[in-house]
Amino acid sequence: MYIKICGLQTADTVAAAVDAGADAIGFIFSPRSPRTITAELAAELGRKVPVGVETVGVFRNQPMDEVLDMARKAAVTTVQLHGDESLADMASVHAAGFKALRAFSADAYNNLSRDEKRDWESERILLDAVEPGAGFTFDAAVLTDGTPNGFWLLAGGLNPANVAAAASAMKPTGVDVSSGVESSRGIKDEQLIRDFILAAQTDS
């Protein structure tokens, strides 16, 4: 089970995630999120992350030149696009030397045609609730064509208490969490991070 802990802002929470076995940690660069950090802070935190753990910069409907410039400054390994970005935008990310991840709300993914879904199968996909970061789950029944083929992450409303059951039911490649490991909005809790990773690994 691939596990991504997103929205980290401090050295202590990064260390908690890495030490507990996270495969990726995420830094938010999208404006207006309570979890947004600067590229400079992300670069500093990323230096504490061992090789083999992905550092992911999360962007939402930002100009691609801005995305790539900030990703370089932050020294992340991976760019996650969490808006209306296209396959051409993903190609730009790859061409710039980054790994890529494309997030969709469950509704947006479901509204793609079958041909469009096939086109996205070569990319890594994340399926989230309608309002990312708000802590709400989505009903798997909305995915009328089933879950994606290939690598995909389940997100949206996951927490230490429900991640094992959700992963068992939907069989994603991995899981992603942000608000579900917070003591208050935007504030990560080190013990909740550890609990989440342990629970997700239980289903592996």
Side-chain angles (χ1 to χ4, degrees), residues 7-168:
L8 299 180
Q9 298 173 301
T10 68
D12 287 343
T13 53
V14 168
V18 169
D19 292 346
D23 297 283
I25 59 170
F27 302 123
I28 307 295
F29 300 125
S30 174
R32 296 181 296 279
S33 168
R35 306 167 185 92
T36 299
I37 64 172
T38 65
E40 291 75 18
L41 178 55
E44 178 183 340
L45 295 174
R47 283 193 287 270
K48 306 176 190 301
V49 177
V51 174
V53 176
E54 285 188 68
T55 51
V56 184
V58 181
F59 302 86
R60 186 179 181 88
N61 288 332
Q62 292 155 264
M64 285 306 299
D65 56 350
E66 175 186 307
V67 167
L68 297 177
D69 181 60
M70 190 171 294
R72 292 186 189 102
K73 289 178 179 175
V76 294
T77 62
T78 305
V79 169
Q80 176 178 320
L81 300 177
H82 209 310
D84 301 316
E85 295 87 359
S86 66
L87 280 164
D89 292 325
M90 296 289 279
S92 297
V93 171
H94 291 302
F98 298 100
K99 297 177 183 179
L101 184 63
R102 172 63 158 86
F104 292 88
S105 72
D107 287 347
Y109 180 79
N110 194 55
N111 288 334
L112 296 176
S113 70
R114 290 187 179 181
D115 286 344
E116 288 172 324
K117 289 172 184 172
R118 279 193 292 269
D119 289 342
W120 279 102
E121 285 178 5
S122 62
E123 299 288 352
R124 299 190 301 170
I125 291 173
L126 181 151
L127 294 187
D128 204 344
V130 174
E131 185 180 352
F136 300 118
T137 57
F138 68 86
D139 187 345
V142 305
L143 302 176
T144 54
D145 292 327
T147 57
N149 292 317
F151 182 106
W152 74 281
L153 300 182
L154 174 64
L158 299 180
N159 58 54
N162 67 13
V163 62
S168 179

